[in-house]
Amino acid sequence: MTTSNVRVRFAPSPTGPLHIGGVRTALYNYLFARQHGGQFIFRIEDTDSTRFVPGAEDYIIESFRWLGINFDEGVGIGGDCGPYRQSERRDIYIRYVQQLLDAGAAYYAFDTPEELTARREQEANFQYDASTRMSMRNSLTLGIDQARRMVADGVPYVVRFLIQPGEDVHVDDIIRGDVCINSSVLDDKVLWKSADGLPTYHLANIVDDHLMRVTHVIRGEEWLPSSPLHVLLYRAFGWADTMPRFAHLPLLLKPDGKGKLSKRDGDRLGFPVFPLEWHDPKSGEVSSGYREKGYLPEAVINFLALLGWNPGDDQELMSLSEMVQKFDLAKCSKNGARFDYVKGFWFNREYLMRRSDNELAPAFVHLLAEQGITTTEERAAVVISLMKSKVIEYETKDGPRKRNISFISDLWPLCRFFFVAPTTFNREDKFIRKNWNETSAEEMRLLRTQLADVDDFSVEGIKAVIDPWVEANGLKPWNAWRVCLVGEGQGPDMYALAAFLGKEETLRRMDYAIATL
Ligand code: GLU
């Protein structure tokens, strides 16, 4: 079962925060690598210095650390194919660019940006290819000797890939099958620029996949149009025999409407499109992240795993190791996967409920601290246990909806009264109108007297005194008592609440309500 020559890579460009689609790509590579007992490489493709964003690389590394997706080789890890940051591999690329030039598979081009712009303005649909290259300033038209002299004289240039027109280029894609594109539609892509001494994405990507012995290229659908060019590059280098197999994953689509998922969809509908919160170093803009929104990493992983693949049965909840077993690249869908963020809530709830109250307590303590409330993990765990099965209302563009508690942060609006005593009572409130009448204050006074005598103020201790008293006097004090302690018609069992508050606070809240209402 183990074909341990399997080597896959995740190769992001550090141009900003990692998009959630990129996380899905990395996850599928990870599952594939682990399933085959192969290696998973982390490479940084930073040859486009104009798009470099400081902090992006650290952000990407931190994202995978949080998600628990680990690499075997790469930036920050090491390995025998390093360096794994492309900007540190300049000398390597120069050798391979030279190889293509020597073989006549690439050529020098001296056209200035102004010349190219002018040409594009003259000719609609201008493309630098077989139909135009002989009318441009390059080593094909000027002759190789003059071109070499110009290069030696320091004239800026690029190296372009020479694409022969009229050939059907086949890409054998694991997910899509045979994808065929005629080479005539491709342009002579720039492979290298003297301006910064760096290759472009295409050249660096192919050279590195080859040198890093990558066997499978699993990446987003947006790279499918580049793949015929990549096939031609492999051939030009003479590496066709060891060319990796391609698998282009389906796009992530908007939750509603048409087109691919964008950050704007997240902003509009209220869900993050980035794994971690991102602080844009230039604009200062802050974009929300799954981690800071209170998603659990295992929920995010499970949710993403099923966007574009499913195990073929009805199982939705899967541990990472189950996914590793069941994952099947060939069964990934060709069609885009709708980003059903509400399903994300559901996954988070499922994983939240799998954690014990004690495990959830630190996050709740942290959240309470942000509200100015200091409490212990023990007390936080009690509140969680009493309230985690409640339902909350949330806003959607079609009006309010109800859902189960899916985040620790859902608890705060529901649990405020555990920590903050009610100070005002809304007399218009339906529950208060119905449950606080002329006899309520007196009834509460009587209950207060009983409670004041309870020595053991635990749930059992209170119950042992109050249950018989209620029975003997034929009273139903519960809802009025709730008004006193909660201030409205929600919350847990009254004995549990009173025990949590303790005798002093319980009596204090009752006195206040009796005096106020
Ligand atoms: N650097 C590319 C990216 O940012 C990598 C594409 C590939 O996997 O070939 O996604």
Side-chain angles (χ1 to χ4, degrees):
M1 223 205 79
T2 37
T3 48
S4 50
N5 68 330
V6 164
R7 288 171 64 82
V8 293
R9 83 308 193 261
F10 181 62
S13 300
T15 56
L18 183 61
H19 191 272
I20 200 72
V23 178
R24 198 250 339 234
T25 298
L27 172 63
Y28 283 20
N29 275 282
Y30 172 88
L31 296 176
F32 188 78
R34 293 293 167 265
Q35 175 167 71
H36 292 277
Q39 304 287 306
F40 186 22
I41 304 162
F42 177 54
R43 182 169 81 216
I44 288 285
E45 302 209 325
D46 58 348
T47 57
D48 187 350
S49 46
T50 60
R51 297 183 60 216
F52 179 81
V53 173
E57 183 184 302
D58 288 342
Y59 174 96
I60 295 169
I61 292 172
E62 175 63 12
S63 298
F64 291 119
R65 205 198 52 75
W66 177 63
L67 288 162
I69 294 181
N70 49 340
F71 299 92
D72 305 302
E73 265 178 57
V75 173
I77 303 151
D80 62 6
C81 298
Y84 292 89
R85 209 178 271 116
Q86 289 186 329
S87 58
E88 293 165 16
R89 299 170 63 81
R90 286 165 190 265
D91 299 347
I92 298 174
Y93 304 125
I94 290 175
R95 289 207 306 274
Y96 287 96
V97 171
Q98 197 57 51
Q99 182 186 331
L100 292 181
L101 285 166
D102 293 345
Y107 59 91
Y108 299 101
F110 302 95
D111 318 270
T112 63
E114 295 73 30
E115 284 166 353
L116 289 169
T117 310
R119 192 62 192 262
R120 279 195 200 100
E121 276 164 12
Q122 271 166 28
E123 261 170 73
N125 306 323
F126 170 82
Q127 180 166 285
Y128 209 120
D129 61 14
S131 68
T132 57
R133 67 169 80 102
M134 295 314 286
S135 63
M136 308 299 288
R137 274 194 331 127
N138 54 47
S139 54
L140 305 174
T141 55
L142 302 167
I144 189 66
D145 293 335
Q146 192 185 335
R148 287 208 180 109
R149 271 197 302 277
M150 289 166 78
V151 169
D153 288 347
V155 179
Y157 67 97
V158 299
V159 174
R160 286 183 182 270
F161 190 38
L162 188 124
I163 295 204
Q164 307 292 355
E167 188 204 337
D168 280 338
V169 185
H170 293 269
V171 179
D172 173 23
D173 188 288
I174 296 172
I175 298 171
R176 286 148 212 278
D178 177 45
V179 179
C180 180
I181 285 186
N182 193 279
S183 64
S184 298
V185 306
L186 303 175
D187 64 334
D188 290 356
K189 275 274 175 311
V190 172
L191 300 178
W192 196 82
K193 308 161 271 75
S194 69
D196 55 9
L198 279 168
T200 57
Y201 155 74
H202 301 287
L203 183 102
N205 187 267
I206 294 323
V207 167
D208 286 349
D209 281 349
H210 174 72
L211 295 178
M212 296 177 186
R213 306 187 304 280
V214 168
T215 58
H216 297 78
V217 167
I218 304 168
R219 61 184 173 189
E221 177 173 313
E222 63 274 26
W223 301 100
L224 186 60
S226 302
S227 56
L229 168 70
H230 294 178
V231 169
L232 291 174
L233 273 168
Y234 276 105
R235 270 201 241 152
F237 277 119
W239 300 333
D241 289 350
T242 56
M243 185 165 77
R245 294 207 59 199
F246 290 99
H248 289 93
L249 303 175
L251 278 181
L252 295 184
L253 303 176
K254 293 184 184 307
D256 53 4
K258 284 201 185 115
K260 79 181 229 246
L261 175 70
S262 73
K263 174 160 159 18
R264 251 169 294 127
D265 299 316
D267 294 343
R268 181 168 57 89
L269 298 167
F271 62 88
V273 297
F274 302 125
L276 314 180
E277 195 169 271
W278 167 254
H279 297 248
D280 189 288
K282 260 214 199 112
S283 67
E285 192 199 342
V286 178
S287 306
S288 68
Y290 279 85
R291 179 177 66 181
E292 289 74 9
K293 281 279 174 202
Y295 285 81
L296 299 172
E298 57 271 38
V300 176
I301 294 269
N302 199 156
F303 171 51
L304 289 180
L306 294 175
L307 291 174
W309 167 75
N310 69 72
D313 50 29
D314 288 338
Q315 190 181 356
E316 291 189 292
L317 292 165
M318 277 174 279
S319 67
L320 203 51
S321 59
E322 270 176 291
M323 284 178 222
V324 167
Q325 267 175 29
K326 294 193 169 191
F327 184 67
D328 187 348
L329 198 50
K331 290 219 181 89
C332 288
S333 145
K334 288 196 260 291
N335 305 322
R338 197 164 286 291
F339 196 81
D340 182 1
Y341 67 100
V342 177
K343 191 81 196 187
F345 299 162
W346 180 83
F347 274 108
N348 211 55
R349 165 164 182 90
E350 291 297 321
Y351 283 97
L352 208 62
M353 293 303 130
R354 280 173 166 65
R355 292 210 180 171
S356 71
D357 301 330
N358 288 333
E359 285 172 308
L360 297 173
F364 193 36
V365 167
H366 183 78
L367 203 125
L368 290 169
E370 282 173 358
Q371 302 292 338
I373 289 159
T374 315
T375 193
T376 61
E377 288 185 11
E378 288 71 33
R379 284 178 68 74
V382 172
V383 176
I384 293 169
S385 76
L386 292 173
M387 299 300 282
K388 69 181 177 186
S389 55
K390 303 280 178 198
V391 167
I392 64 152
E393 218 171 67
Y394 71 108
E395 281 308 315
T396 74
K397 66 179 195 328
D398 308 314
R401 291 266 188 290
K402 287 200 159 81
R403 61 167 166 78
N404 290 321
I405 293 209
S406 307
F407 304 96
I408 289 293
S409 58
D410 288 342
L411 286 171
W412 165 244
L414 290 184
C415 298
R416 205 188 140 83
F417 61 85
F418 282 93
F419 307 99
V420 183
T423 48
T424 53
F425 299 92
N426 176 9
R427 284 166 197 282
E428 300 309 309
D429 181 90
K430 253 178 45 200
F431 185 82
I432 296 186
R433 277 215 324 249
K434 185 152 173 252
N435 295 297
W436 193 274
N437 53 39
E438 317 73 59
T439 59
S440 299
E442 183 52 25
E443 203 173 271
M444 287 303 107
R445 253 180 233 117
L446 295 174
L447 175 61
R448 187 203 188 287
T449 314
Q450 294 298 315
L451 289 165
D453 282 344
V454 176
D455 288 327
D456 167 16
F457 217 75
S458 67
V459 173
E460 298 71 32
I462 303 171
K463 191 175 162 63
V465 174
I466 302 301
D467 266 4
W469 174 75
V470 163
E471 181 115 4
N473 294 284
L475 296 171
K476 281 207 181 82
W478 314 119
N479 286 348
W481 196 18
R482 188 173 296 283
V483 172
C484 297
L485 299 193
V486 179
E488 55 180 332
Q490 63 124 341
D493 168 68
M494 289 311 296
Y495 290 154
L497 177 57
F500 176 86
L501 294 175
K503 190 193 275 190
E504 195 183 324
E505 175 68 4
T506 298
L507 299 185
R508 210 188 56 71
R509 287 190 187 190
M510 292 177 77
D511 291 340
Y512 181 81
I514 292 166
T516 313
L517 271 159

